Amino acid sequence: MKKFKFTKMNGLGNDFVILDYNEYKKADMPANKLAAKLCNRNFSIGADGLIIVNPNSDKADISWIFYNSDGSVAQMCGNGMRCFARYVYDNKIIDKKEFSVETKAGIIVPKIISENEVCVNMGIPILEPSEIPCKTKTNLNIPYTIDNKEFLLNIVSMGNPHCVIFVEKDSKELALKYGSIIENDKLFPEKTNVEFVEILSKNEVIINVWERGCGITLACGTGTCATAVAGILNGYLNNCVKANLPGGVLKIEWSGSSADIKHSVFMTGRADYSFTGEVVI
């Protein structure tokens, strides 16, 4: 029997188990298996993902280890990054409000804005199909038919792959019905996250997300960033977007365009504590 401490946090309801590295070592279990165990909502803490704080990095101020709830690796997670940033700052693991984090998607820079709000420089979006990766010749408005319905796929990577689909209505129902099918389509060698998006105005959208390795989630930071990028490139959205997700609101800013994509995406939103405790495995 092994016992160790954990913290549960959430970014707009997208929830995570966070472990200090020393607590993680007490588990004496491979991180992927530990993630699947701890994230199980019926038999353990329950979460969309596991975040392990790694204070050592040769490339940045700090590093993290991140796994989805099914034990699969996630290169990046926007909501998780906001929670991670607040956790390491509040626990004095990092002593500055803006710092760099080494992730599998590269170096990410979060900034503590207030007690509950964090802004994250999510980096430059990836639009080249081979780098996303996806087996398509372009990344925008790709016809895709399922159940005699035709959608247009917009594929963007924010360090992890996203398939953004703009619809007129029923984004929640469509995400529930088709999210898993599209996630596992052969077009996506590493699977994909799927966003169904309703446009309210040039500055506001509603997003429902089927997250790779998790299923329906209340929010997805990287997916919201990918949505804003796809909307701006298509001319649907302005450069500052309010995104309404089931768990709350994110603000996305991207000054890029189809003529110049080399601009970072900035995401601002809440990061909240849920509870702390000890778990026995």
Side-chain angles (χ1 to χ4, degrees):
M1 183 177 70
K2 302 176 182 68
K3 181 188 295 186
F4 50 94
K5 297 177 182 178
F6 70 91
T7 296
K8 179 80 176 288
M9 296 187 71
N10 77 88
L12 308 188
N14 194 192
D15 56 349
F16 311 94
V17 174
I18 301 181
L19 300 179
D20 284 341
Y21 195 78
N22 289 335
E23 297 299 311
Y24 158 62
K25 296 300 287 185
K26 291 178 184 178
D28 192 27
M29 180 183 292
N32 61 333
K33 293 184 179 180
L34 183 63
K37 188 173 186 66
L38 296 183
C39 293
N40 188 303
R41 297 188 186 277
N42 298 109
F43 294 99
S44 190
I45 303 164
D48 293 320
L50 170 67
I51 298 171
I52 300 167
V53 178
N54 183 358
N56 302 308
S57 172
D58 296 329
K59 301 176 181 178
D61 294 317
I62 196 169
S63 177
W64 79 352
I65 302 168
F66 189 98
Y67 283 87
N68 291 317
S69 60
D70 65 352
S72 61
V73 174
Q75 295 95 332
M76 182 48 199
C77 174
N79 291 320
M81 180 55 66
R82 294 200 314 279
C83 293
F84 175 85
R86 186 177 174 198
Y87 178 88
V88 299
Y89 179 77
D90 288 350
N91 286 278
K92 304 186 187 309
I93 301 169
I94 288 289
D95 62 358
K96 49 189 177 181
K97 290 189 174 183
E98 185 172 5
F99 51 91
S100 57
V101 183
E102 181 182 350
T103 77
K104 289 186 178 297
I107 305 300
I108 301 297
V109 181
K111 181 179 181 180
I112 307 297
I113 302 298
S114 64
E115 182 180 356
N116 295 316
E117 195 171 49
V118 179
C119 177
V120 182
N121 179 341
M122 299 288 286
I124 297 170
I126 299 167
L127 303 176
E128 175 59 42
S130 63
E131 296 178 14
I132 291 174
C134 61
K135 295 180 179 180
T136 59
K137 293 181 179 180
T138 183
N139 72 305
L140 295 179
N141 297 311
I142 302 159
Y144 182 89
T145 302
I146 183 171
D147 288 351
N148 294 318
K149 288 181 175 289
E150 184 172 288
F151 300 114
L152 295 177
L153 310 185
N154 296 274
I155 305 171
V156 177
S157 174
M158 293 302 307
N160 56 352
H162 290 272
C163 178
V164 180
I165 303 170
F166 295 99
V167 296
E168 292 185 359
K169 60 181 181 178
D170 300 329
S171 57
K172 180 178 180 180
E173 291 77 8
L174 291 169
L176 282 165
K177 187 171 184 178
Y178 298 120
S180 178
I181 297 171
I182 298 172
E183 174 198 1
N184 293 283
D185 194 279
K186 62 184 180 181
L187 284 174
F188 306 102
E190 297 179 8
K191 300 186 180 183
T192 189
N193 302 278
V194 186
E195 287 78 34
F196 283 90
V197 183
E198 299 172 46
I199 298 174
L200 301 181
S201 73
K202 296 274 283 188
N203 298 302
E204 188 171 3
V205 295
I206 295 172
I207 307 175
N208 280 278
V209 183
W210 179 275
E211 193 165 332
R212 179 182 62 167
C214 296
I216 290 290
T217 54
L218 294 178
C220 178
T222 54
T224 305
C225 292
T227 295
V229 169
I232 292 166
L233 291 176
N234 277 302
Y236 303 152
L237 301 174
N238 291 331
N239 295 95
C240 186
V241 180
K242 176 185 177 182
N244 300 285
L245 298 117
V249 173
L250 287 176
K251 177 184 174 183
I252 309 297
E253 295 181 77
W254 187 54
S255 57
S257 66
S258 56
D260 182 12
I261 68 165
K262 299 297 183 180
H263 295 269
S264 290
V265 182
F266 290 86
M267 172 196 64
T268 303
R270 292 182 62 90
D272 294 291
Y273 290 95
S274 301
F275 54 87
T276 63
E278 288 187 328
V279 62
V280 177
I281 61 172

